[in-house]
Amino acid sequence: GQQVMQIPQYQHVQEGEDFTTYCNSSTTLSNIQWYKQRPGGHPVFLIQLVKSGEVKKQKRLTFQFGEAKKNSSLHITATQTTDVGTYFCAGFNRLGTALIFGKGTTLSVSS
Amino acid sequence: GAGVSQSPSNKVTEKGKDVELRCDPISGHTALYWYRQRLGQGLEFLIYFQGNSAPDKSGLPSDRFSAERTGESVSTLTIQRTQQEDSAVYLCASSSTYLAGGPGETQYFGPGTRLLVL
């Protein structure tokens, strides 16, 4: 079945360092979404990428969608303690009825 | 306006008992989803409702799991004869449009119900 994989599973950085999480799908995606889940919270939508090769920025966050629309990445520049949480990528199933989530990358930041 | 709400927020039950979880979607949202998140794991799709169409039940792990939704209102997820492996956070999400493989629509998540089966 369709799978969405994320690496790394965990990442610890010092405050101010950069962070990147990678997302790979076993199938071509029509689009991809990224969510952030704070500890003890629920997933919150960050962004959606639709076009091949698309790059979007939100302040210190940069999102990329691969040319083949099978992979994506989230890069955080100069991490802050407020960036702590688990970042999930998600792609739609073949029917387009549900998002298939990756297992997430949990980021911890020490000051 | 109000977001997605779920109840109860926490549920502790004994193995073998039935539990019912409730989700109130955002008013006007036609699509409703249930997910399961085990401790330290990603989100696992369970079931999807779109209006009065037949639900997509492809993610339900066993016949002990069922869900209902009347129209575009409240949904209930029922787990019969609970097992310890059912312990997880059950998340509900709603969105305003049918996805159909198109550009997609943001899913808004509720706070979840934390289920612990002893």
Side-chain angles (χ1 to χ4, degrees):
Chain A
Q2 182 179 0
Q3 291 185 330
V4 175
M5 294 150 286
Q6 275 186 262
I7 55 171
Q9 186 176 1
Y10 302 99
Q11 181 78 55
H12 176 79
V13 299
Q14 295 288 320
E15 190 172 22
E17 292 182 337
D18 293 353
F19 159 76
T20 305
T21 173
Y22 300 91
C23 179
N24 293 284
S25 170
S26 57
T27 59
T28 300
L29 301 169
S30 58
N31 60 79
I32 195 161
Q33 296 187 355
W34 285 90
Y35 290 77
K36 177 183 179 181
Q37 184 175 22
R38 294 182 184 276
H42 55 274
V44 174
F45 175 80
L46 292 177
I47 205 161
Q48 177 174 274
L49 304 172
V50 179
K51 299 177 182 177
S52 170
E54 188 171 15
V55 178
K56 286 188 176 181
K57 292 190 176 184
Q58 289 180 348
K59 297 182 180 179
R60 294 178 295 104
L61 278 60
T62 302
F63 303 84
Q64 292 187 326
F65 200 10
E67 293 292 339
K69 301 183 76 173
K70 294 182 72 173
N71 58 74
S72 181
S73 65
L74 159 59
H75 179 81
I76 303 178
T77 305
T79 55
Q80 300 176 359
T81 55
T82 54
D83 297 326
V84 164
T86 300
Y87 293 85
F88 293 97
C89 65
F92 288 98
N93 65 359
R94 287 189 177 86
L95 296 176
T97 55
L99 287 172
I100 307 299
F101 283 80
K103 293 190 181 301
T105 296
T106 299
L107 172 66
S108 60
V109 180
S110 55
S111 57
Chain B
V4 177
S5 61
Q6 291 185 246
S7 62
S9 55
N10 293 281
K11 176 71 176 178
V12 180
T13 190
E14 294 180 348
K15 178 181 174 180
K17 295 286 181 67
D18 296 352
V19 296
E20 189 172 280
L21 313 180
R22 176 186 169 109
C23 172
D24 282 89
I26 293 173
S27 178
H29 278 191
T30 57
L32 186 148
Y33 309 79
W34 283 98
Y35 296 91
R36 178 171 67 180
Q37 187 175 31
R38 291 196 167 107
L39 186 63
Q41 301 296 312
L43 295 173
E44 177 187 5
F45 166 72
L46 297 178
I47 190 169
Y48 160 76
F49 294 92
Q50 167 60 27
N52 293 316
S53 301
D56 176 2
K57 304 180 180 180
S58 60
L60 293 178
S62 77
D63 58 8
R64 295 187 296 105
F65 288 72
S66 63
E68 293 183 352
R69 187 187 188 198
T70 303
E72 298 179 1
S73 61
V74 169
S75 175
T76 55
L77 175 68
T78 302
I79 308 174
Q80 296 178 310
R81 305 181 301 283
T82 53
Q83 305 291 315
Q84 290 179 334
E85 66 203 41
D86 299 333
S87 296
V89 176
Y90 289 83
L91 288 159
C92 173
S94 70
S95 68
S96 63
T97 62
Y98 177 52
L99 302 178
E105 186 64 49
T106 302
Q107 294 189 16
Y108 296 88
F109 285 83
T113 293
R114 297 180 183 276
L115 175 65
L116 177 61
V117 182
L118 301 176

